[in-house]
């Protein structure tokens, strides 16, 4: 099986994240960048499917600035076989629709893909629709928010879990599957894996290489624009008391003073 | 006035509250037209409630198709073509985001996702709350008929009756490239209010220590008529089910009152609750970061404090 995994580098959620006040874009220099945790789970799912299906290959695809190579290396050191990195100055400021278009083009360069795996929702934008958008563009089914994936010959079955309930979905391959937070625990890269990753092939594509029109992506192709971005003043600490056997009563008194009970 | 398409979210013959929020928001952009996609016989059960909440028109798109979410995308795409709406509004649920994203791709529309408000006038614009409320951003659509997903609970429903004129819509045949639904089990909500809609939320963290001891959290929640939430550590430890997780990878809540019991207040947890009006924290550790955003904090054992608070609340209720 030919498996493609879409991965994204995101600001580390442990550091404080900022929007640039001038253009409302994510200030990527203000924070450390990491492979999104949900994408580690997507890579893990891909590796498990590969291990169960001899002769499979896992290709990591990312669109992002130069330093996204760090995220690629992490995925390769976990065990993915090769990577394609779409990077081009003109991609800066791409919105979700143009990101999906670009990713669909890049996936098209991977010969005869059977399965595209992705995270259900990135931790930076929380868009939560890229995988479905990519599927629509590729003309293949989208099976999203997977808690469980079963690949059986030419079809895939997914147990989809969301706030609204559980849905079991099936489709013929090729298909796009996005994974949820509860699907698995991603493996740690071994020392051997880290060393091997250094020799694995990474293809870097510019927009021209991928056959993407520069007018369709980046700020030039943006279908919406941010007109202002303001930090909200953080909540400040209120009163803090040490419980001396009356902590519950003190909270109750506070709630009464605020007319909350 | 131009139409605004509102995709109706319904379950077991009832319109979800988030749809009424969409109808209210739609009114600031144009004339709300509700779009019902479902099995034959669905619209009949929903139309009275839709009209009572402001639907001028109700597009009825009934079908036996079992491909997943694709009928909604197909129907909305066709209506965008025939009705040239000012905007399309969909609820920012998992399904809604997916439908909206696919629709935006197909119709070449701006996609304004998970917004907390919309405004008309010179083009359509929307307000986003980013990074768990740490930033507020305004965005405007550069295209016709932007597709907008509205965060549930962000808009207060103002019911104003509309004409509710029904119009049948032909549902195209399935393309054969969708996923097929094998089975569905909706989440059965208990007697407690829905987490994202509740005006009071009581959450427990790893400090609760076990699934059995979550009864302390539930007890206080029930005294307050509150929903129960949990931190990811509590969920991962198996103390409470996943769908109640609050935080960056869980639900975003913004109630009048949020009570955190045995939760340290990691940045990822705060991302899901820091816009709550009033925050109360109980934690043994005086240095826990949750106290930095708590309006009132008690340094103490939650097993002492929470039951006492529950008693005080019960007393006041008489
Ligand atoms: C990508 C990513 C996404 C994440 N998403 C989320 C998310 O959506 N939601 C989320 O919550 N977390 C999330 N996390 C995890 C987050 O970083 C924290 O690990 C988690 O919030 C900690 O939960 P906790 O506060 O319950 O546990 P802890 O940090 O272990 O805190 C437990 C607290 O309980 C107190 N305590 C113990 N016993 C008692 C007692 N008897 N009485 C009073 N206090 C007591 C302790 O002093 C301590 O402060 C995410 C992490 C990552 C990396
Ligand atoms: N720039 C990108 N490069 C590669 N994959 C991406 C990119 N953006 C989004 N994705 C994929 O889509 C998933 C959901 O992202 P989002 O729709 O942004 O919440 C991510 O977890 C990735 O798998």
């Amino acid at each position: 099986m030919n498996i493609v995994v879409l991965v994204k580098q995101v600001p580390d959620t442990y550091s404080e994240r900022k929007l640039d006040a001038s253009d409302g874009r994510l200030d990527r220099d203000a924070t450390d960048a990491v492979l999104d945790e949900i994408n580690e789970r997507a890579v893990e799912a891909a590796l498990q499917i590969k291990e169960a299906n001899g002769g499979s290959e896992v290709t990591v695809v990312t669109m992002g600035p130069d330093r996204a190579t760090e995220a690629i290396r992490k995925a390769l050191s976990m065990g993915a076989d090769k990577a394609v990195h779409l990077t081009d100055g003109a991609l800066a400021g791409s919105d979700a629709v143009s990101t999906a278009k670009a990713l669909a083009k890049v996936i098209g360069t991977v010969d005869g893909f059977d399965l595209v795996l992705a995270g259900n929702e990135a931790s930076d934008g929380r868009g939560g629709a890229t995988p479905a958008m990519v599927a629509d563009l590729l003309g293949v089914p989208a099976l999203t928010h997977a808690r469980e994936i079963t690949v059986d010959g030419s079809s895939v079955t997914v147990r989809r879990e969301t706030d609204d309930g559980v849905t079991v979905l099936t489709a013929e391959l090729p298909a796009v599957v996005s994974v949820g937070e509860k699907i698995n625990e991603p493996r740690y890269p071994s020392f051997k894996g880290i060393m091997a990753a250094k020799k694995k092939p990474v293809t870097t594509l510019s927009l021209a290489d991928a056959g993407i029109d520069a007018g369709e992506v980046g700020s030039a192709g943006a279908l919406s624009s941010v007109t202002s971005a303001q930090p909200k003043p953080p909540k400040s600490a209120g009163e803090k008391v040490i419980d001396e056997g009356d902590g519950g009563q003190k909270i109750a008194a506070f709630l009464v003073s605020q007319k909350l009970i | 006035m131009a139409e605004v398409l509102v995709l109706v979210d319904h379950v077991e013959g009832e319109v979800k509250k988030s749809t009424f929020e969409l109808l209210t928001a739609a009114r600031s952009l144009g004339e709300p037209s509700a779009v019902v996609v479902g099995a034959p016989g669905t619209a009949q059960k929903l139309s009275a409630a839709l009209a009572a909440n402001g639907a001028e028109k109700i597009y009825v798109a009934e079908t036996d198709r079992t491909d997943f979410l694709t009928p909604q995308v197909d129907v909305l795409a066709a209506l965008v073509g025939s009705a040239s709406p000012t905007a399309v509004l969909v609820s920012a649920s998992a399904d809604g985001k997916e439908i909206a994203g696919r629709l935006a791709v197909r119709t070449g529309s701006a996609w304004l996702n998970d917004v907390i408000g919309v405004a008309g006038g010179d083009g359509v614009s929307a307000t986003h709350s980013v990074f768990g409320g740490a930033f507020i951003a305004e965005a405007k659509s550069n295209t016709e008929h932007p597709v907008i997903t509205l965060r549930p609970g962000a808009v207060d429903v103002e019911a104003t009756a509309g004409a509710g004129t029904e119009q049948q819509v032909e549902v195209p045949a399935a393309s054969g490239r969708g996923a097929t639904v094998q089975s569905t089990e909706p989440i059965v909500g208990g007697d407690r209010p829905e987490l994202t809609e509740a005006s009071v939320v009581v959450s427990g963290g790893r400090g609760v220590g076990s699934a059995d001891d979550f009864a302390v959290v539930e007890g206080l929640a029930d005294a307050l008529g509150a929903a129960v939430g949990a931190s990811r550590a509590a969920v991962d430890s198996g103390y409470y089910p996943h769908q109640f997780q609050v935080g960056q990878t869980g639900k975003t809540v913004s109630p009048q009152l949020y009570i955190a019991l045995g939760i340290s207040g990691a940045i990822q947890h705060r991302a899901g609750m820091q816009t709550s009006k009033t925050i109360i924290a109980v934690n043994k550790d005086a240095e826990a970061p949750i106290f930095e955003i708590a309006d009132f904090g008690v340094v103490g054992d939650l097993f002492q404090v929470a039951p006492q608070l529950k008693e005080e609340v019960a007393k006041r209720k008489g």
Side-chain angles (χ1 to χ4, degrees), chain B residues 3 33-36 43 47 56-62 75 79 82-83 164-170:
Chain B
E3 286 181 52
S33 296
V35 181
V36 176
S47 51
E56 293 297 337
K57 217 184 254 180
I58 300 172
Y59 288 109
V60 179
E62 295 182 333
V75 166
L79 286 173
S82 62
T165 316
E166 290 190 23
Q167 191 173 321
Q168 300 295 319
V169 177
E170 186 115 18

Side-chain angles (χ1 to χ4, degrees), chain A residues 5-9 36 38-39 42 61-64 96 99-100 103 117-134 178-179, chain B residues 111 113:
Chain A
V5 189
L6 296 177
V7 306
K8 187 175 185 183
Q9 193 183 39
D36 204 356
I38 193 70
N39 291 144
V61 168
T62 195
M63 161 180 151
T99 299
L103 288 173
L117 286 169
N120 59 350
E121 187 174 87
S123 63
D124 54 356
R126 294 201 65 168
T130 306
M133 288 166 150
V134 167
S178 79
V179 305
Chain B
W111 184 57
N113 189 39

Side-chain angles (χ1 to χ4, degrees), chain B residues 102-188:
Chain B
R102 292 173 61 187
L103 179 66
V105 162
R106 286 200 201 171
T107 56
S109 309
W111 184 57
L112 299 168
N113 189 39
D114 199 21
V115 311
I116 56 170
V118 294
D122 186 18
V124 176
S125 62
T127 309
H128 297 265
S129 164
V130 190
F131 301 144
F135 278 81
I136 293 288
E138 299 284 336
K140 72 173 192 349
S141 165
N142 300 330
T143 71
E144 288 180 302
H145 41 72
V147 181
I148 303 171
T149 71
L150 180 70
R151 185 180 292 178
V155 168
D156 291 330
V157 175
E158 287 166 35
T160 305
T165 316
E166 290 190 23
Q167 191 173 321
Q168 300 295 319
V169 177
E170 186 115 18
V171 181
S175 65
R177 295 306 301 155
T180 308
V181 177
Q182 300 291 326
S183 66
T184 45
E185 317 154 24
I187 282 194
V188 271

Side-chain angles (χ1 to χ4, degrees), chain A residues 12-14 36-38 41 123 126 181, chain B residues 204-209 230-236 245-251 258 261-272 282-290 298-304:
Chain A
D12 192 345
T13 57
Y14 286 105
D36 204 356
E37 189 199 53
I38 193 70
R41 297 182 199 271
S123 63
R126 294 201 65 168
E181 202 187 28
Chain B
R206 201 195 319 257
V208 176
S231 73
R232 185 160 99 172
V235 168
D236 284 351
Q245 180 175 318
V246 171
Q248 185 190 301
T249 43
K251 299 219 168 131
Y258 187 88
L261 302 173
I263 293 177
S264 61
I267 196 161
Q268 296 95 346
H269 185 78
R270 285 155 61 159
V282 181
N283 196 306
K284 278 206 287 211
D285 174 8
E287 304 302 318
I290 191 77
V298 174
V299 181
D301 184 350
L302 74 93
F303 293 105
Q304 304 296 323

